[in-house]
Amino acid sequence: MDPTRDHDMRALLRRMFDAGLDAVRAERVLPPHLPAPPAGRTLMLGAGKAGAPMALAVEAHWPADRPLSGLVIVPYGHGAPATRIEIVEAAHPVPDAAGQAAARRILEMARGLGPDDLLLALLSGGGSALMAVPADGLSLDDKRAVTRALLRSGAAIGEINAVRKHLSAIKGGRLAAAAWPAPTCALAVSDVPGDDPAVIASGPTVPDTTTFADARAVLAHYRIDPPGLALAHLEAAQDETPKPGDPRLARSRMTVIARPADALAAAARAAESAGFRPIVLGDAIEGRAAQVAQEHARLALLHAARGERVAILSGGELTVELRGRGTGGPNHEYALALALALDGAPGIWALACDTDGIDGATDAAGALIGPDTLARAAAAGLDAARRLADNDSGNVFAALGDALQTGPTRTNVNDLRAILVNPRMR
């Protein structure tokens, strides 16, 4: 293979990823959705990986003569200096004491609003873990234990958040209920399949349709045995989350200002400008990373056999059932499983990355593969199939130099996967 042409395909994949990121950055998408200032004061509260740039965008476009204050929680390393609001860093994906303390302050600040004030809520992926206020009678350790078990189980984000809401004093509409009678305007960057407002950051400002029974069913399905106090709380089923029609949420509105489909559309335009026909499989794909990779490999091989020059794009949130002791997230696992399924097929390259810049517990956004990935792994003494079985895809790509390092992107519309099929480059 001509290494120069291989480099061109890898460079194109990175341009596609960067185009997707640029399309969903807060400074670009947030300003047109800002509400008019209220008669009273505006309290800006929120949490998530996009929290800092969202807050700075509000500050930059809010009238200087109108009151604005508040607090936004972001992951460690995602902060930024602000002038009118406070930005607090905390742990993700498992909550810590810093997040709990800041979230308690958010809840108390919301309770101080009046009917002429406004709660401006800024929500993005990661908000569920960052804004952690355990329900009465529960400890942070109880929530941490359940969160860890859910993350290891391979449960979908909607299932995880159904449990989180029912162990929380702030999620599932409770933040907007605390702010009542003040109106709530929530602006959200979606990282969830289907852009469901009730799932983004566990829906702290919108009605919740899930129940305590749903939360118990999720834990039973994944055979998770929660701490005794958490189980007792779920079984007691008292103090349900606010449901549709709850008058405390009658003045609450949410607008999704950036979504996975926006990033995919931008990546598709970049591919098309390079001469590839985009095929967008959807922005809400869920499932086990290795299984989805096998399906996508079959599709890529089909187009290659037809001699078609295409870019196969997909988004959503894949999961990994942790059974080994290695390192790597869903995108690393997808990429390695895809390489194995393609088995060195010529003319096919791919990228799988999380748009927040962090895949699983690694410091990489994801990985790149090409026709030579398996051969290079074997030459380096890496058994790709065995590493995949041990959930050790991250170390494979780190050793090959094919892990994609972006650092925190300060946005989050979940995974972006792209497969370039170029039969002319055999």
Side-chain angles (χ1 to χ4, degrees):
M1 181 193 305
D2 184 338
T4 302
R5 301 177 79 186
D6 176 73
H7 177 270
D8 289 344
M9 292 298 98
R10 292 170 178 264
L12 174 56
L13 286 166
R14 179 58 191 264
R15 290 199 302 273
M16 292 165 60
F17 181 64
D18 289 343
L21 289 180
D22 289 342
V24 296
R25 293 195 184 279
E27 54 268 33
R28 178 193 299 270
V29 300
L30 186 145
H33 298 284
L34 279 174
R41 61 195 179 100
T42 298
L43 183 63
M44 182 168 60
L45 303 173
K49 296 176 183 177
M54 292 177 79
L56 295 179
V58 175
E59 283 193 347
H61 292 84
W62 200 254
D65 61 344
R66 301 309 300 270
L68 177 68
S69 61
L71 189 159
V72 173
I73 312 171
V74 301
Y76 291 116
H78 287 64
T83 57
R84 303 175 73 178
I85 59 98
E86 182 180 358
I87 297 178
V88 173
E89 297 186 357
H92 176 276
V94 178
D96 68 356
Q100 177 181 243
R104 288 193 186 280
R105 290 175 57 200
I106 282 177
L107 200 55
E108 289 305 312
M109 293 165 76
R111 288 172 176 153
L113 292 173
D116 293 330
D117 300 326
L118 172 68
L119 169 57
L120 179 58
L122 306 180
L123 305 172
S124 56
S128 290
L130 294 165
M131 199 158 51
V133 182
D136 288 346
L138 299 182
S139 70
L140 182 62
D141 285 342
D142 293 328
K143 289 204 68 175
R144 287 165 58 90
V146 175
T147 298
R148 287 194 185 97
L150 286 166
L151 293 172
R152 291 182 61 87
S153 72
I157 187 62
E159 296 174 312
I160 293 174
N161 286 356
V163 178
R164 283 168 159 169
K165 291 176 189 179
H166 289 87
L167 297 175
S168 173
I170 197 169
K171 299 177 175 62
R174 297 185 189 275
L175 177 60
W180 186 86
T184 296
C185 172
L187 303 179
V189 175
S190 172
D191 69 324
V192 303
D195 307 321
D196 185 348
V199 180
I200 301 169
S202 291
T205 68
V206 298
D208 177 33
T209 59
T210 68
T211 65
F212 278 102
D214 293 326
R216 293 195 302 269
V218 170
L219 296 180
H221 178 75
Y222 291 100
R223 299 180 181 180
I224 294 172
D225 185 18
L229 289 176
L231 180 60
H233 178 79
L234 294 176
E235 289 179 339
Q238 297 177 354
D239 190 23
E240 247 305 357
T241 49
K243 303 303 178 195
D246 191 309
R248 296 172 298 172
L249 273 61
R251 304 185 72 190
S252 180
R253 300 288 182 270
M254 174 185 276
T255 301
V256 178
I257 62 172
R259 48 184 55 81
D262 300 329
L264 287 177
R269 290 191 294 271
E272 193 168 26
S273 68
F276 288 81
R277 176 170 66 87
I279 300 173
V280 180
L281 302 180
D283 64 345
I285 294 176
E286 296 183 275
R288 297 291 167 84
Q291 295 173 355
V292 173
Q294 291 170 4
E295 296 170 6
H296 290 183
R298 287 192 288 269
L299 183 60
L301 291 169
L302 176 62
H303 286 285
R306 293 173 176 171
E308 297 173 339
R309 198 167 190 245
V310 299
I312 302 170
L313 293 152
S314 63
E317 183 168 49
L318 304 183
T319 58
V320 172
E321 182 180 5
L322 294 179
R323 57 199 180 279
R325 296 178 295 176
T327 297
N331 289 288
H332 284 98
E333 183 138 335
Y334 170 93
L336 189 57
L338 184 69
L340 285 163
L342 292 172
D343 195 25
I348 303 177
W349 288 258
L351 168 150
C353 289
D354 197 319
T355 55
D356 67 2
I358 303 168
D359 187 37
T362 73
D363 61 356
L368 290 153
I369 68 163
D372 63 345
T373 294
L374 294 185
R376 291 168 53 226
L382 301 170
D383 185 327
R386 181 173 296 177
R387 293 296 183 111
L388 181 65
D390 195 34
N391 297 126
D392 199 30
S393 51
N395 283 324
V396 172
F397 290 115
L400 296 179
D402 286 340
L404 183 57
Q405 304 277 351
T406 66
T409 64
R410 292 175 172 80
T411 190
N412 185 19
V413 291
N414 229 309
D415 301 336
L416 192 156
R417 296 175 293 273
I419 303 173
L420 293 178
V421 179
N422 192 354
R424 304 173 193 173
M425 295 179 62
R426 290 181 175 273

